[in-house]
Structure formats: C-alpha cells, structure tokens
C-alpha cells in the first residue's frame, strides 16, 4: 500500500502534464480530485473526447483543455491516462500506435486490458495497468496497479502520486491481481449498493418512510465500516458481538445462511474475475 502525503504528490506532479484519453466519469473523478486538492493546475491537464458537448462541459467546469483528437491530447504529455471503455480501446490504440514518445508514461484503467496488449497496440513500453473504483470520485477509492517492466522509479512515483490522490493505492507484483481486484474492489461498490438497496426496501416494507430507511442504512453501513477498521477485529468476531443467542440478529443470520448468501457472494465475485480475464483475452 502506498503511503503518500499531499506534499509528496505535489512535488512529484509539479509541472507535469497529464493527458486523459476519454473523459467519462472516471476521468473526471481523477481530474477533479487532483484539481480540488491543488495537486495540479488546470493548465497541466489536456483531455480528448469525441463529443463536443462533453468537451465544452469539462472546459467550463474545470478550465482544462479538451480536444477531439486523441493524438493531439497526448502530444507533449508526461502521463497519458487511458480512461476509455473496453469497447473503444482498440480504436484508441490505433489512434495512438507509434505516436507516443519514449519517455511518456501510460496509465490504463481499462478493465481486462493487459500490459502486453496495451504495449503491443501502442508500440510503447512504459505502461501501467490499474483498476480504481467509483468512490475515487470523492477521494475514498481503492486502486490496484501493476507496472510493466519498462516503468522506472520516476514512473512508479508518478503512478503512486496520481492514484493515491483518489484514496488507497496498492501496487501488486502480479498482473493477475489486477483482474482479481477488478472483481473484488473495482466491482465491489455495486455489491454494497445492492445490499444497501435491499436493506432500504426491507425498511420501507416494514413501514419506514423511504428517506428514514435510507438514512438508517447509510449510517449503519458507514458506521460498521469505520468500526471494523478502527477495531482491527476479524469480521466474524464483530458479527458475534452483535449476535445474541436466540435474538433478532441470530434469526436474521440464520435466514441469510439458509439462503446461501456467502456462496452467492463468492460465486458472484468469481464470475466477475472470470469476466475480467475474458475481456483481456478478447481485447
């Protein structure tokens, strides 16, 4: 795990130019986090997006430079971030193939796209593969990253600085761990949101106003996470602290176990992991 202070990030990113290839939700999350934390200035950022309305929106909102052409955005950048959907990656690789300078660092957040595929498609060696998640939009993300063999210490420091600005950044030594993190933390917020949705709906079914049910569930989930992190105890130990024999929690847990909740969660994560691997094989 990277332990990086704001001063560290500011020093590493000082005067570095960043190019975002594709300016969707995650690109904006990274961009806004860096700007909000005053880790970079608007003049250091260029982005590309095919839609004029989107370019106009981000330029107005953040004061950054947006262009239509991927090669134009990447030109002169120290770091090129591939922040596109898997479906458009091949088009982007064709656009940029052979057009990057040797010293430019490429950071990809494209699910499934391997370092080998990215390097081959770009004809460029300094490539990093990463997987952030949506809480990165508010600075509480979890990102796993893997650096290709051609990435030097300066490149690693840049990656750590950029990704740590969004929350926790963990470097892994195996590229397969990026696929695993895609299934666990990358997709993980969707699992939590689904559980939250089910809890809220149950509360409404019992008779709570929806707003009250939402407030109770939000605080319960937030408090549980903070308590678990603060206590350092195993989740099973924390669960047992709440579960009185013959009580309400025991009755609820019994139904969850009878319904195979653990198995469903485990099978779902494995399905996401297999899909991440398939995306890499088909890219």
């Amino acid at each position: 795990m990277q332990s990086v202070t704001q001063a560290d990030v500011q020093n590493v990113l000082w005067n570095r130019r960043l190019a975002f290839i594709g300016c969707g939700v995650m690109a904006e999350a990274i961009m806004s986090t860096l700007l909000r934390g005053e880790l970079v200035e608007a003049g250091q950022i260029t982005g590309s997006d095919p839609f004029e309305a989107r370019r106009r929106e981000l330029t107005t909102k953040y004061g950054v430079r947006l262009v239509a052409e991927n090669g134009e955005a990447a030109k002169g950048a120290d770091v090129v971030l591939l922040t596109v959907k898997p479906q458009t990656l091949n088009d982007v690789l064709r656009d940029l193939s052979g057009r990057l300078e040797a010293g430019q660092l490429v950071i990809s957040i494209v699910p499934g796209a391997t370092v080998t595929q990215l390097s081959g498609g770009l004809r460029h060696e300094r490539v990093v593969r990463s997987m952030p998640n949506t809480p990165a939009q508010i600075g509480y993300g979890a990102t796993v990253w893997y650096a290709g063999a051609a990435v030097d210490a300066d490149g690693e420091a840049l990656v750590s600085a950029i990704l740590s600005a969004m929350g926790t950044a963990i470097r892994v030594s195996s590229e397969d761990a990026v696929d695993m993190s895609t299934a666990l933390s990358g997709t993980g917020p969707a699992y939590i949101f689904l559980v939250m949705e089910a809890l809220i709906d149950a509360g409404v079914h019992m008779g709570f106003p929806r707003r009250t049910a939402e407030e109770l569930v939000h605080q319960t989930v937030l408090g549980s996470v903070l308590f678990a992190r603060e206590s350092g105890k195993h989740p099973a130990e924390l669960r047992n602290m709440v579960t009185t024999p013959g009580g309400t929690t025991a009755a609820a847990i019994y139904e969850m176990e009878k319904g195979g909740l653990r198995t469903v969660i485990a099978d779902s994560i494995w399905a996401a992991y297999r899909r991440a691997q398939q995306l890499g094989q088909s890219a």
Side-chain angles (χ1 to χ4, degrees):
M1 185 182 301
Q2 307 300 316
S3 180
V4 181
T5 68
Q6 183 175 19
D8 291 333
V9 176
Q10 288 173 324
N11 289 335
V12 171
L13 294 181
W14 184 82
N15 212 29
R16 303 282 192 152
R17 289 165 293 177
L18 311 181
F20 290 82
I21 308 302
C23 287
V25 173
M26 285 307 302
E28 184 177 359
I30 300 170
M31 194 183 297
S32 64
T33 299
L34 293 171
L35 290 169
R36 187 171 58 245
E38 299 182 346
L39 304 173
V40 300
E41 297 178 351
Q44 294 174 245
I45 295 177
T46 301
S48 63
D49 196 274
F51 300 104
E52 183 180 354
R54 180 61 170 168
R55 296 197 300 270
R56 200 164 47 238
E57 176 191 356
L58 294 181
T59 298
T60 301
K61 197 170 180 180
Y62 301 108
V64 298
R65 176 173 172 257
L66 266 291
V67 297
E69 212 271 317
N70 295 326
E72 183 182 353
K75 187 176 181 180
D78 296 291
V79 182
V80 178
L81 294 105
L82 301 183
T83 46
V84 297
K85 297 182 187 300
Q87 300 92 311
T88 61
L89 177 62
N90 286 335
D91 292 336
V92 168
L93 295 180
R94 280 192 293 269
D95 283 348
L96 298 179
S97 181
R99 300 178 66 179
L100 299 179
E101 299 170 12
Q104 290 181 296
L105 176 69
V106 175
I107 302 176
S108 168
I109 68 165
V110 183
T114 67
V115 166
T116 298
Q117 291 161 349
L118 294 167
S119 297
L122 292 169
R123 288 193 285 157
H124 186 78
E125 295 300 318
R126 293 189 82 208
V127 173
V128 170
R129 182 181 172 195
S130 68
M131 177 48 57
N133 61 12
T134 52
Q137 296 178 55
I138 59 169
Y140 283 90
T143 304
V144 167
W145 61 278
Y146 171 82
V151 179
D152 58 12
D154 180 63
E156 292 170 0
L158 272 171
V159 177
S160 178
I162 292 169
L163 300 182
S164 294
M166 299 187 293
T168 297
I170 299 174
R171 182 183 181 181
V172 293
S173 57
S174 163
E175 188 169 2
D176 188 52
V178 182
D179 286 330
M180 291 189 286
S181 75
T182 300
L184 189 62
S185 57
T187 314
Y191 316 149
I192 305 302
F193 298 148
L194 180 60
V195 171
M196 290 172 63
E197 182 183 358
L199 290 170
I200 290 166
D201 287 346
V204 171
H205 186 229
M206 287 189 297
F208 277 120
R210 180 162 292 275
R211 185 67 194 91
T212 301
E214 288 174 350
E215 187 173 357
L216 287 170
V217 170
H218 290 170
Q219 188 60 34
T220 298
V221 172
L222 176 61
S224 298
V225 170
L226 293 175
F227 182 40
R229 189 164 65 176
E230 184 72 21
S231 71
K233 296 180 184 296
H234 190 282
E237 188 176 355
L238 295 172
R239 177 175 54 79
N240 286 333
M241 289 168 58
V242 187
T243 309
T244 303
T248 57
T249 306
I253 295 296
Y254 174 77
E255 292 297 328
M256 291 178 186
E257 297 285 17
K258 190 168 67 172
L261 179 63
R262 291 173 190 261
T263 302
V264 169
I265 291 173
D267 288 348
S268 300
I269 293 170
W270 273 97
Y273 174 48
R274 288 192 296 270
R275 181 57 181 154
Q277 293 179 311
Q278 288 168 1
L279 286 171
Q281 293 164 1
S282 62

